[in-house]
Amino acid sequence: MEPAEERERAARARAGDRAAFEELVRATARLLWAYVYGLVRDPFRTEDVVQETYLRVWTSRGELRDPGAFRAWLFSIARRLAWRTREAARREAPGAPKAPEPEAPPLPEDPEEDLRLVREALGRLPDRYRLPVTLHFLNGLPYERIGKILDMPNGSLRGLIARGVRKLRAELAPGWRKRHEGA
Amino acid sequence: MKVHEDFETTADLYVAGALGPEERRAVEAHVAECGPCAETLGQARAFSQWLLGTLSPDGPPADLEDRILERLEAAQRPERKIPIGPILKTLGSLAAAGVLITLGSLFTGTEMRTEDPDTTVGSIVGSIPLMGEPLADSGETLPPPAHGVDKSRELKRRGDREEAPSELARAPGKPEVTSNQAAAEDTLTRRQAEREALFHKKDAVGLREGEKQRSSVHPVEPPRADLRKIIRNANLHLEVESYDAAYARAAEIALAEKGFVAGADTERLPNGKMRAKLTVRVPPERFEAALARLRELGTVRRQSITTQDVTKVYVDLEARLASKQALVERLKKVLAEAQGSVKELMEVEVQMGRTIEEIEAIKGELKYYDNLVGLSTILLELAEKDLGQPFEYVQTLQARLEMVARDPDAAYARAQAIVTEAGGQVVDSRMTRQADGSAQGLVQARVEAEKFPSVRQALRGLGHVKADTVNHQKLARGGREGAVRADAPVRREQAVVEILIAAPPVFFSRQAELTLESAGVEGSYQAVRRAFEQAGGQILEGSLTAQTTRASASVRAHVDAERFTAVFEELKKAGAVKAASTRLEVPPADPSGEPPLVRERAEIEVSIIPPPEILPEEHGLSRTIRDTVSGSLRGLLWSIEKLFVGASLAAPWIALGLGGWFLYRRLRRARAAAGARQ
């Protein structure tokens, strides 16, 4: 969705147009999901947060001053909820790895361990790399759609993906190599 | 094409699908020729696949957007209650429209559909739980079932977001009348239908009289007043005269109330009373009546009724079921059309399998709730009267006998023989001995209660009885409450007897000390030891110190009091008696006046010393010279010692003075040198 379109839909959604809001949801849900996943790193909590975010956005749509800033507003709400969830999760399991992460991650033993390592590595990636990488690997979205969702020119997206993957590979090198060679 | 070093980035982009067609071809061509780069590309691909595989369980659900929207709808419902004004206004027009439409449909036999996104008639009507009674479908027809929904969602799933504005542009806000088949063709209609379906779903669920698939041609009958899903259970605890009669009656009542006894769990207690748990299931509308009649079976001890409202859970389950079913339909469609890569299709397949499993689980849960809601459960606990009456008495007897015997070994053996002769069993027996010859025996036995007095008498004859305790107890078994049963039998348990036999305590009635003088100390020492050993004595200490100049020895020993005199005489023969002393003590009399039961022992200590050495005294010149020389030598040594003391006192001060002077000189020289340089 072009920024202009998005602004127009946001303005209509603010006025209470559900169809417009639905379009906004369909245009941004995957992106928001990827963003929240980077913060929360748990698929179930992520979905909760995403749903809760849209619910809040809809119920407090009147508070959106500038329809052009819909995305920023959406993300700020999601971020707040994600942090709260993360705090709650940490309080629930105080023994859980609050993670003084080891210098060299231990060699993974099983897929669970792999998943944990990858989640952590994703969490350590800076935001701007993380979003495209998450969209690619988790949402399985094709490259062109990522570009559209992020509304980003081809060149910059390429750079982000290349650097993101490289960073990820550097982080995960020991675990992956073992998997790869073992396989 | 880039050089090898940078090929890694290119490979990543290639794998991510970020390269354009020409670039892709270039990469493929390069890789065909260049081994290392082919390797890099393989690595990039493997890494990407590993990440995809690892992260796949974390991926967002395929119907993420739908779920978000559903949640929104669900949250929306209560909010809509608030603006009653506009709703009432709409209602007026609606009623009229409804009548018209219904009439129309009756006449034409076709489905009628209002397609006005601004009033969204269906949505509002479907969602007002006004005065607690949903006005579902008052004239409004339901959307066509799953079919239409699938199509529209399927279109959306393909990401045709560009289509949305055009659809909206085509939404003119005018009512349309279409046939069932036509509805499937029109995207706009389908979209609207889907939205309505979301709103209607829950009410349709609430109605749920097996008419989820009801034809949309017929107007729907008004909903039943009670849409709530409520589980009612009761727990009734009764005291009854007779279990059998009560059971028969309960079964009768259950049948009369259109229910049944679902289970019975009975238990007969040792006192012959019965206790039972019956599960009675009756239809909810008969619940109160059944409960009231069951109460009359006996005295109510306890009763509780629980009500659990599972409407929300139920409705949620229904909603989930519907959405999962819709998803499966969509996935089926995707598979049928077989568009997309093999990987995508496989993913679809996997997703479908998972969803079907989830559907089965939800269906199972719904069935479970249906069962609970459809029939109320009354858990009837029946207990016969005087359930807690004791059924027997138990008499126990425990005895402990402590005694002292002159010959504990014989008494120990005899005690066991007495028990066995009386038909009892020895449970445990132990004999412990100490170094001083004392011993203690323990016998634990069980004998029949009737035999106990005679056994006890026999045991008492074994020695001097020090303590004898007998403990009788009568315990009621199975008794908790209620009056004592008159004819309860008394059971006598075997008597438990514990017998402790100890040797009499040792008393030292004689103590003697003997000092012998002997030129051959060692010989005398051996003679003394031999004397003790022959008398069966016990040597506690013996020491012999033999130095070149002077030897000495000592021996301390215990012997029996009877042999004391003989031993003492024998000892005196080992040398010349220098000193001898003996002390006699009488053991304290027993309070009963009997002769004291003790083992008398004597303690004897013998010291052997050599005769003193006698040196003649010295006189004359030699002694004077020796005294003088030794005196002067002593003086010399004394003065040397003092000299060293003085020196060691002065040495630190001298060292300090020298050091200070040396430092002073160095300083002065340095200053002089500095002056000279200036």
Side-chain angles (χ1 to χ4, degrees), chain A residues 59-138:
Chain A
T59 49
S60 57
R61 57 188 182 271
E63 287 166 26
L64 175 63
R65 295 221 180 78
D66 172 14
F70 172 76
R71 234 171 234 230
W73 185 53
L74 176 74
F75 276 49
S76 70
I77 290 177
R79 190 167 52 239
R80 227 171 24 240
L81 288 172
W83 280 342
R84 199 171 302 160
T85 307
R86 214 162 49 169
E87 280 308 305
R90 193 172 298 162
R91 241 173 286 124
E92 256 169 50
K98 213 183 116 188
E101 277 122 9
E103 282 300 305
L107 294 183
E109 297 290 319
D110 56 342
E112 294 275 312
E113 181 66 12
D114 278 4
L115 182 56
R116 193 181 64 74
L117 282 179
V118 176
R119 278 182 187 169
E120 277 176 12
L122 268 180
R124 282 198 292 269
L125 277 186
D127 265 355
R128 63 210 163 99
Y129 301 128
R130 186 168 59 212
L131 273 181
V133 168
T134 313
L135 282 171
H136 175 57
F137 285 110
L138 266 140

Side-chain angles (χ1 to χ4, degrees), chain A residues 37 47 52 119 139 158 166, chain B residues 9 23 58 60 67 71:
Chain A
Y37 179 83
E47 198 181 330
E52 187 68 27
R119 278 182 187 169
N139 279 288
R158 267 190 189 189
R166 185 181 287 182
Chain B
T9 306
E23 286 168 304
D58 266 10
R67 283 155 83 141
R71 170 97 185 266

Side-chain angles (χ1 to χ4, degrees), chain A residues 1 12 15 22 27 39 42 74 85 114 118 128 134 148 164 169 175 182:
Chain A
M1 197 182 281
R12 273 168 49 195
E22 190 176 321
L39 296 174
D42 175 283
L74 176 74
T85 307
D114 278 4
V118 176
R128 63 210 163 99
T134 313
K148 261 188 202 166
R169 182 165 32 220

Side-chain angles (χ1 to χ4, degrees), chain A residues 1 5 9 12 18-23 25-27 29-30 33 37 41-43 47-48 50-52 54-55 58-59 61 108 111 114-115 118-119 122 133 136-140 142-145 148-149 154 157-159 161-162 165-166 168-169 172 175-176 179-180, chain B residues 5-6 8-9 12-13 15-20 23 40 42-52 54-69 71-73 75-76 79-80 153 156-159 161-162 164-165 168 191 194-195 199 343-344:
Chain A
M1 197 182 281
E5 274 182 298
R9 300 287 186 278
R12 273 168 49 195
R18 283 194 63 83
F21 187 67
E22 190 176 321
E23 278 179 62
V25 169
R26 291 193 187 278
R30 303 268 151 184
W33 193 96
Y37 179 83
R41 283 181 249 162
D42 175 283
E47 198 181 330
D48 280 350
V50 169
Q51 290 192 359
E52 187 68 27
Y54 282 111
L55 195 58
W58 177 248
T59 49
R61 57 188 182 271
D114 278 4
L115 182 56
V118 176
R119 278 182 187 169
L122 268 180
V133 168
H136 175 57
F137 285 110
L138 266 140
N139 279 288
Y143 179 76
E144 303 81 48
R145 268 205 75 191
K148 261 188 202 166
I149 285 184
N154 187 26
L157 183 57
R158 267 190 189 189
I161 289 219
V165 172
R166 185 181 287 182
L168 210 52
R169 182 165 32 220
L172 290 167
W176 172 63
R179 281 279 138 204
H180 184 54
Chain B
E5 293 87 75
D6 210 23
E8 200 173 48
T9 306
D12 283 336
L13 289 174
V15 171
L19 296 183
E23 286 168 304
T40 310
Q43 293 262 327
R45 194 174 278 141
F47 182 68
S48 166
Q49 273 163 3
W50 177 69
L51 269 187
L52 274 169
T54 303
L55 283 170
S56 60
D58 266 10
D63 55 346
L64 174 69
E65 290 86 356
D66 294 339
R67 283 155 83 141
I68 294 168
L69 292 171
R71 170 97 185 266
L72 272 174
E73 301 292 353
Q76 225 37 48
E79 198 185 80
R80 296 215 172 190
R153 288 214 182 164
K156 261 172 254 165
R157 198 199 66 82
R158 285 199 216 136
R161 284 174 294 112
E162 296 79 5
L168 280 158
R191 183 172 262 274
E194 181 193 354
R195 222 170 283 145
F199 276 122
K343 179 169 164 278
E344 277 169 12

